[in-house]
Amino acid sequence: MSVLETSSSWRTTSLWRSEPHGLCYIETAELDGETNMKVRQAIPVTAELGDTSKLARFDGEVICEPPNNKLDKFGGTLYWKENKYPLSNQNMLLRGCVLRNTEWCFGLVIFAGPDTKLMQNSGRTKFKRTSIDRLMNTLVLWIFGFLVCMGVILAIGNAIWEHEVGICFQIYLPWDEGVHSAFFSGFLSFWSYIIILNTVVPISLYVSVEVIRLGHSYFINWDKKMYCAKRQTPAEARTTTLNEELGQVEYIFSDKTGTLTQNIMVFSKCSVNGHSYGDVQDMLGHKAELGERPEPVNFSFNPLADPRFQFWDPSLLEAVKLGDLHVHEFFRLLSLCHTVMSEEKSEGELLYKAQSPDEGALVTAARNFGFVFRSRTPKTITVHELGQAITYQLLAILDFNNIRKRMSVIVRSPEGKIRLYCKGADTILLERLHPVNQDLTSITTDHLNEYAGEGLRTLVLAYKDLEESYYKDWSERLHRAGSAPEAREDHLARLYDEVEHDMMLLGATAIEDKLQQGVPETIAILTLANIKIWVLTGDKQETAVNIGYSCKMLTDDMTEVFVVTGHTVLEVREELRKAREKMMDASRSVCNGFSYQEKLSTKLTSVLEAIAGEYALVINGHSLAHALEADMEVEFLETACACKAVICCRVTPLQKAQVVELVKKYKKAVTLAIGDGANDVSMIKTAHIGVGISGQEGIQAVLASDYSFSQFKFLQRLLLVHGRWSYLRMCKFLCYFFYKNFAFTMVHFWFGFFCGFSAQTVYDQYFITLYNIVYTSLPVLAMGVFDQDVPEQRSMEYPKLYEPGQLNLLFNKREFFICIAQGIYTSVLMFFIPYGVFADATRDDGAQLADYQSFAVTVATSLVIVVSVQIGLDTGFWTAINHFFIWGSLAAYFAILFTMHSDGLFRVFPNQFRFVGNAQNTLAQPTVWLTIALTTVVCIMPVVAFRFLKLDLKPELSDTVRYTQLVRKKQKTQHRCMRRAGHVGSRRSGYAFSHQEGFGELIMSGKNMRLSSLALSSFAPRPSTSWIETLRKKKGCEGSSAGSPSGAASKTLKV
């Protein structure tokens, strides 16, 4: 019988199955991300229930552990017919598993609904909003408060004016009906001004923001460089609300299997009896250089060989054919010591289903070299050894776990010989060998170090012959331990440990785990962008660490890699404490006598400010469970954030989400989670941004994600290009939007002091209606959709350009107040310059120029021109659409203005358009155009002057990149001219000076003393380029963001 959680709402124990021996094949991709089939088996006593009538009479009782989220453990006991039978995870079918190659299965429900392990590991679905969304909501509330304040000021002014001045004009300016006091007039004036000044509240802002986000999403969907031709899968933005937050990511949490790797393992090298095989050799027997690889080994002698398998060293096959006993035993071990399932679709066509790709690669290698695993039952394993079918009796499987780090099988050969075969981690197996293996161990260790240096995943193989009498005694004790009601696992572990001693060394294997294309480069680039990458995987520690080295997260140059494997709270706390102490000691040695405690503050980022050197942290799932407890989570996070790389192994889906939530809680940083399996769904939902990889493990992660694509390397482009551009565009859009609204609305406020606070508007009603809809809507949308500071190639080349988004430099409360101040400044000039000019100005015919309509036309025209010039200055990347919208909006303004003051419209709507010819007459006066020009210059020149000074004295990184690009273009033009000129003349003149033209001018201008060269050899470093690092350090001290330490006062841009 076995226990299972079915894909409905239950967790059941399997009683009876369609397959022989009570076997059941399942796929657990929705739980742990692994697509390989696993085997579960019914308890023998219930597997004998041959029909439904017997099953109906089953009346057993199960007593088991309470509901929990541990996917790999289950403990319980079945009481039936006055006997008790132990239940383990091997008898369990969890909810989320998929039955494979099994027609039916009867089971007993153990847990249902929210008690199932899948639901225990699931996280809540949260509505995701960006930090800019939250800031916008706050700013809108502030603006509304500002609107109320302006209304109160003007209402008070109206009450005072009516009481002091307006009372004198009651004869011909009487109060409206129902108004009997100055106070009530002021009260009505308050609501009138709330209506007039409401345009300061950006009601249309949210609509415009969504339009821009939609455009950014389409750019992601249409990006051909994020399209995978192999799988015909484009990138997809599954939400439109998070685009700009892609430009602010500080932490990436990544799954390993299928996300960083292709989940493809290749048998690459091996060591057998002290001889290393697998090096590619040339015709002379020497090691071939890269690119000189000969033809692969020919396995045509073996009709059962896998045609996809390739090996490049023919000497190993020759050793098999020559009958080398050690080589034969080596491959015999690989064909027997595993849990792989074999499926033979047709004669000779074998399909292996392995729990891990490692096992599949090893069994496939044995298959091709003549030791073919054909089939298995619960008690036998059939292998074809060099064409001869041999069936071994399977006596016991000592399964792998994270503590043992090894797996063994005990088999009886047809000759009756009992032998234990074992494979496992070198750190575990080498200390369990018989002393007679000392010389062979030394040679094999050298081979292992060589393989590990190449980033290969290694295993050590060993065997041991067992006496019949010893095995019988050991087997009886094993059975008693398996039936123990308490401490069952401890009893089994001691028996396993007893038999796995004094083994004989056979050799070692080296497997290449295929990374996805571009993973190391992507991780390196993202690290330079100051993005921290944590790997959260359900895989075992050795696998995760090897992948860490393969993708360059872990390097040999690191100061130390801390491994936390404690099983109790005290052990984990002690290991974390020792790790911090080592980092603190290293910091003290570089602090010139200042103790770490002097630098340490109560802020969580204090460790980051003081740590010197590069460290990595590797922590197991059982240790992580203790580290995530409330009294230790801060210690764990502080230690992890001080490390350059963090790898969490054997973690459950819930633990992945808890790690992400921990960083969100304390670091206040934007997090991104990326994965490809159903076990990553909780993590994806918890992070600010979830990315799904459409890979080999279904589309569960994709369906739960915000963005999806098919390869990890596309994450670099998603963040550094689309994310950075989206953040830049959104920030520039918001700054300009607030500026233009305040410049437009505040003119009414100043006019109130000159119209008796009567709530009279400066502009006519149609201009007020069309200002945000026609005159200024399209240009700002074009900028928000298409603008860019540097081309996409430069965004990828210079990852430091990404840091302003992490520091939230481009739009924050400070930038908001600057935009508001500029808008208010513009409104002051927009009103008072025409007001001052019109006070004494006359027309060409000597008549007084000042009248309400002429003043309104002048101010409105000045406003449209000023905001159009301003958006032209703000636009960094001009397209035909930008030109069309900006100049088209100006043209539309004048066309509508002249139309509304035309004779034809007056004849059609005489009551609506009464000021015939006003615009034509006003704009025909040179004084008016001079006033407009003066207003435009005075409004724009301070902005231009400030930006030129900032560009010259303190340029941003993007300014430096653009400047370098211009210099490059200039040099290319000069080189082309020089080459054309160089075809004529004497060849005797060999000018041997390596400098290039143009550098004398550059040095004399002094620009190379201010602009960073971006690590280009053409320019000198700029001491002031570390301003972002300084700001990051300052921000880190405030606890608002995690920043990388920078002790240098001068730093060039990293590429």
Side-chain angles (χ1 to χ4, degrees), residues 763-776:
Y763 320 108
D764 66 72
Q765 57 182 341
Y766 297 105
F767 180 83
I768 295 174
T769 302
L770 298 175
Y771 177 77
N772 277 322
I773 297 176
V774 177
Y775 303 150
T776 60

PDB file of all heavy atoms in Angstrom, residues 763-776:
ATOM      1  N   TYR A 763      -7.594  81.885 -19.793  1.00  0.00           N
ATOM      2  CA  TYR A 763      -7.794  81.352 -21.139  1.00  0.00           C
ATOM      3  C   TYR A 763      -9.292  81.197 -21.419  1.00  0.00           C
ATOM      4  O   TYR A 763     -10.107  81.109 -20.504  1.00  0.00           O
ATOM      5  CB  TYR A 763      -7.113  79.985 -21.281  1.00  0.00           C
ATOM      6  CG  TYR A 763      -5.761  79.886 -20.615  1.00  0.00           C
ATOM      7  CD1 TYR A 763      -5.597  79.132 -19.454  1.00  0.00           C
ATOM      8  CD2 TYR A 763      -4.652  80.538 -21.130  1.00  0.00           C
ATOM      9  CE1 TYR A 763      -4.365  79.021 -18.838  1.00  0.00           C
ATOM     10  CE2 TYR A 763      -3.422  80.441 -20.519  1.00  0.00           C
ATOM     11  CZ  TYR A 763      -3.273  79.680 -19.365  1.00  0.00           C
ATOM     12  OH  TYR A 763      -2.060  79.581 -18.759  1.00  0.00           O
ATOM     13  N   ASP A 764      -9.595  81.093 -22.691  1.00  0.00           N
ATOM     14  CA  ASP A 764     -10.991  80.820 -23.017  1.00  0.00           C
ATOM     15  C   ASP A 764     -11.284  79.342 -22.765  1.00  0.00           C
ATOM     16  O   ASP A 764     -10.372  78.507 -22.648  1.00  0.00           O
ATOM     17  CB  ASP A 764     -11.288  81.198 -24.464  1.00  0.00           C
ATOM     18  CG  ASP A 764     -10.557  80.331 -25.463  1.00  0.00           C
ATOM     19  OD1 ASP A 764     -10.927  79.166 -25.621  1.00  0.00           O
ATOM     20  OD2 ASP A 764      -9.574  80.835 -26.080  1.00  0.00           O
ATOM     21  N   GLN A 765     -12.529  79.012 -22.695  1.00  0.00           N
ATOM     22  CA  GLN A 765     -12.937  77.680 -22.264  1.00  0.00           C
ATOM     23  C   GLN A 765     -12.463  76.587 -23.218  1.00  0.00           C
ATOM     24  O   GLN A 765     -12.167  75.459 -22.794  1.00  0.00           O
ATOM     25  CB  GLN A 765     -14.455  77.617 -22.134  1.00  0.00           C
ATOM     26  CG  GLN A 765     -15.197  77.990 -23.414  1.00  0.00           C
ATOM     27  CD  GLN A 765     -16.707  77.957 -23.243  1.00  0.00           C
ATOM     28  OE1 GLN A 765     -17.197  77.338 -22.315  1.00  0.00           O
ATOM     29  NE2 GLN A 765     -17.424  78.638 -24.131  1.00  0.00           N
ATOM     30  N   TYR A 766     -12.365  76.893 -24.504  1.00  0.00           N
ATOM     31  CA  TYR A 766     -11.956  75.868 -25.463  1.00  0.00           C
ATOM     32  C   TYR A 766     -10.470  75.548 -25.337  1.00  0.00           C
ATOM     33  O   TYR A 766     -10.058  74.394 -25.516  1.00  0.00           O
ATOM     34  CB  TYR A 766     -12.303  76.328 -26.886  1.00  0.00           C
ATOM     35  CG  TYR A 766     -13.777  76.505 -27.078  1.00  0.00           C
ATOM     36  CD1 TYR A 766     -14.352  77.777 -27.120  1.00  0.00           C
ATOM     37  CD2 TYR A 766     -14.611  75.406 -27.203  1.00  0.00           C
ATOM     38  CE1 TYR A 766     -15.721  77.941 -27.284  1.00  0.00           C
ATOM     39  CE2 TYR A 766     -15.987  75.564 -27.369  1.00  0.00           C
ATOM     40  CZ  TYR A 766     -16.529  76.830 -27.397  1.00  0.00           C
ATOM     41  OH  TYR A 766     -17.871  76.977 -27.546  1.00  0.00           O
ATOM     42  N   PHE A 767      -9.680  76.553 -25.041  1.00  0.00           N
ATOM     43  CA  PHE A 767      -8.261  76.293 -24.835  1.00  0.00           C
ATOM     44  C   PHE A 767      -8.056  75.422 -23.592  1.00  0.00           C
ATOM     45  O   PHE A 767      -7.240  74.499 -23.597  1.00  0.00           O
ATOM     46  CB  PHE A 767      -7.495  77.612 -24.676  1.00  0.00           C
ATOM     47  CG  PHE A 767      -6.010  77.411 -24.456  1.00  0.00           C
ATOM     48  CD1 PHE A 767      -5.168  77.201 -25.527  1.00  0.00           C
ATOM     49  CD2 PHE A 767      -5.479  77.412 -23.168  1.00  0.00           C
ATOM     50  CE1 PHE A 767      -3.812  77.012 -25.328  1.00  0.00           C
ATOM     51  CE2 PHE A 767      -4.126  77.234 -22.961  1.00  0.00           C
ATOM     52  CZ  PHE A 767      -3.289  77.031 -24.045  1.00  0.00           C
ATOM     53  N   ILE A 768      -8.809  75.701 -22.552  1.00  0.00           N
ATOM     54  CA  ILE A 768      -8.699  74.890 -21.327  1.00  0.00           C
ATOM     55  C   ILE A 768      -9.070  73.433 -21.621  1.00  0.00           C
ATOM     56  O   ILE A 768      -8.439  72.506 -21.133  1.00  0.00           O
ATOM     57  CB  ILE A 768      -9.604  75.476 -20.227  1.00  0.00           C
ATOM     58  CG1 ILE A 768      -9.112  76.864 -19.820  1.00  0.00           C
ATOM     59  CG2 ILE A 768      -9.658  74.556 -19.016  1.00  0.00           C
ATOM     60  CD1 ILE A 768     -10.023  77.587 -18.842  1.00  0.00           C
ATOM     61  N   THR A 769     -10.080  73.245 -22.448  1.00  0.00           N
ATOM     62  CA  THR A 769     -10.516  71.883 -22.783  1.00  0.00           C
ATOM     63  C   THR A 769      -9.500  71.154 -23.646  1.00  0.00           C
ATOM     64  O   THR A 769      -9.226  69.961 -23.443  1.00  0.00           O
ATOM     65  CB  THR A 769     -11.863  71.940 -23.521  1.00  0.00           C
ATOM     66  OG1 THR A 769     -12.827  72.601 -22.693  1.00  0.00           O
ATOM     67  CG2 THR A 769     -12.355  70.549 -23.872  1.00  0.00           C
ATOM     68  N   LEU A 770      -8.921  71.873 -24.617  1.00  0.00           N
ATOM     69  CA  LEU A 770      -8.047  71.219 -25.600  1.00  0.00           C
ATOM     70  C   LEU A 770      -6.584  71.146 -25.187  1.00  0.00           C
ATOM     71  O   LEU A 770      -5.796  70.441 -25.828  1.00  0.00           O
ATOM     72  CB  LEU A 770      -8.144  71.962 -26.941  1.00  0.00           C
ATOM     73  CG  LEU A 770      -9.525  71.976 -27.598  1.00  0.00           C
ATOM     74  CD1 LEU A 770      -9.511  72.850 -28.850  1.00  0.00           C
ATOM     75  CD2 LEU A 770      -9.956  70.557 -27.955  1.00  0.00           C
ATOM     76  N   TYR A 771      -6.202  71.854 -24.128  1.00  0.00           N
ATOM     77  CA  TYR A 771      -4.780  71.913 -23.756  1.00  0.00           C
ATOM     78  C   TYR A 771      -4.218  70.515 -23.483  1.00  0.00           C
ATOM     79  O   TYR A 771      -3.185  70.123 -24.042  1.00  0.00           O
ATOM     80  CB  TYR A 771      -4.600  72.817 -22.535  1.00  0.00           C
ATOM     81  CG  TYR A 771      -3.168  72.875 -22.026  1.00  0.00           C
ATOM     82  CD1 TYR A 771      -2.210  73.634 -22.697  1.00  0.00           C
ATOM     83  CD2 TYR A 771      -2.774  72.172 -20.890  1.00  0.00           C
ATOM     84  CE1 TYR A 771      -0.912  73.694 -22.243  1.00  0.00           C
ATOM     85  CE2 TYR A 771      -1.478  72.222 -20.429  1.00  0.00           C
ATOM     86  CZ  TYR A 771      -0.542  72.986 -21.100  1.00  0.00           C
ATOM     87  OH  TYR A 771       0.752  73.049 -20.651  1.00  0.00           O
ATOM     88  N   ASN A 772      -4.870  69.755 -22.627  1.00  0.00           N
ATOM     89  CA  ASN A 772      -4.369  68.420 -22.280  1.00  0.00           C
ATOM     90  C   ASN A 772      -4.808  67.347 -23.260  1.00  0.00           C
ATOM     91  O   ASN A 772      -4.239  66.253 -23.273  1.00  0.00           O
ATOM     92  CB  ASN A 772      -4.841  68.031 -20.872  1.00  0.00           C
ATOM     93  CG  ASN A 772      -3.948  68.616 -19.785  1.00  0.00           C
ATOM     94  OD1 ASN A 772      -2.741  68.689 -19.948  1.00  0.00           O
ATOM     95  ND2 ASN A 772      -4.551  69.040 -18.689  1.00  0.00           N
ATOM     96  N   ILE A 773      -5.811  67.654 -24.081  1.00  0.00           N
ATOM     97  CA  ILE A 773      -6.313  66.636 -24.997  1.00  0.00           C
ATOM     98  C   ILE A 773      -5.613  66.685 -26.349  1.00  0.00           C
ATOM     99  O   ILE A 773      -5.275  65.649 -26.923  1.00  0.00           O
ATOM    100  CB  ILE A 773      -7.839  66.805 -25.188  1.00  0.00           C
ATOM    101  CG1 ILE A 773      -8.557  66.582 -23.858  1.00  0.00           C
ATOM    102  CG2 ILE A 773      -8.371  65.837 -26.244  1.00  0.00           C
ATOM    103  CD1 ILE A 773     -10.052  66.817 -23.940  1.00  0.00           C
ATOM    104  N   VAL A 774      -5.360  67.897 -26.860  1.00  0.00           N
ATOM    105  CA  VAL A 774      -4.824  68.048 -28.218  1.00  0.00           C
ATOM    106  C   VAL A 774      -3.423  68.659 -28.213  1.00  0.00           C
ATOM    107  O   VAL A 774      -2.493  68.125 -28.827  1.00  0.00           O
ATOM    108  CB  VAL A 774      -5.769  68.914 -29.078  1.00  0.00           C
ATOM    109  CG1 VAL A 774      -5.186  69.135 -30.471  1.00  0.00           C
ATOM    110  CG2 VAL A 774      -7.142  68.263 -29.167  1.00  0.00           C
ATOM    111  N   TYR A 775      -3.247  69.772 -27.523  1.00  0.00           N
ATOM    112  CA  TYR A 775      -2.027  70.569 -27.678  1.00  0.00           C
ATOM    113  C   TYR A 775      -0.795  69.934 -27.026  1.00  0.00           C
ATOM    114  O   TYR A 775       0.324  70.131 -27.528  1.00  0.00           O
ATOM    115  CB  TYR A 775      -2.239  71.968 -27.101  1.00  0.00           C
ATOM    116  CG  TYR A 775      -3.391  72.723 -27.710  1.00  0.00           C
ATOM    117  CD1 TYR A 775      -4.112  73.648 -26.982  1.00  0.00           C
ATOM    118  CD2 TYR A 775      -3.760  72.499 -29.040  1.00  0.00           C
ATOM    119  CE1 TYR A 775      -5.180  74.340 -27.534  1.00  0.00           C
ATOM    120  CE2 TYR A 775      -4.829  73.186 -29.605  1.00  0.00           C
ATOM    121  CZ  TYR A 775      -5.535  74.098 -28.850  1.00  0.00           C
ATOM    122  OH  TYR A 775      -6.587  74.778 -29.410  1.00  0.00           O
ATOM    123  N   THR A 776      -0.963  69.196 -25.932  1.00  0.00           N
ATOM    124  CA  THR A 776       0.220  68.678 -25.219  1.00  0.00           C
ATOM    125  C   THR A 776       0.164  67.181 -24.950  1.00  0.00           C
ATOM    126  O   THR A 776       1.084  66.651 -24.325  1.00  0.00           O
ATOM    127  CB  THR A 776       0.373  69.396 -23.862  1.00  0.00           C
ATOM    128  OG1 THR A 776      -0.797  69.158 -23.055  1.00  0.00           O
ATOM    129  CG2 THR A 776       0.557  70.886 -24.053  1.00  0.00           C
TER     130      THR A 776
END
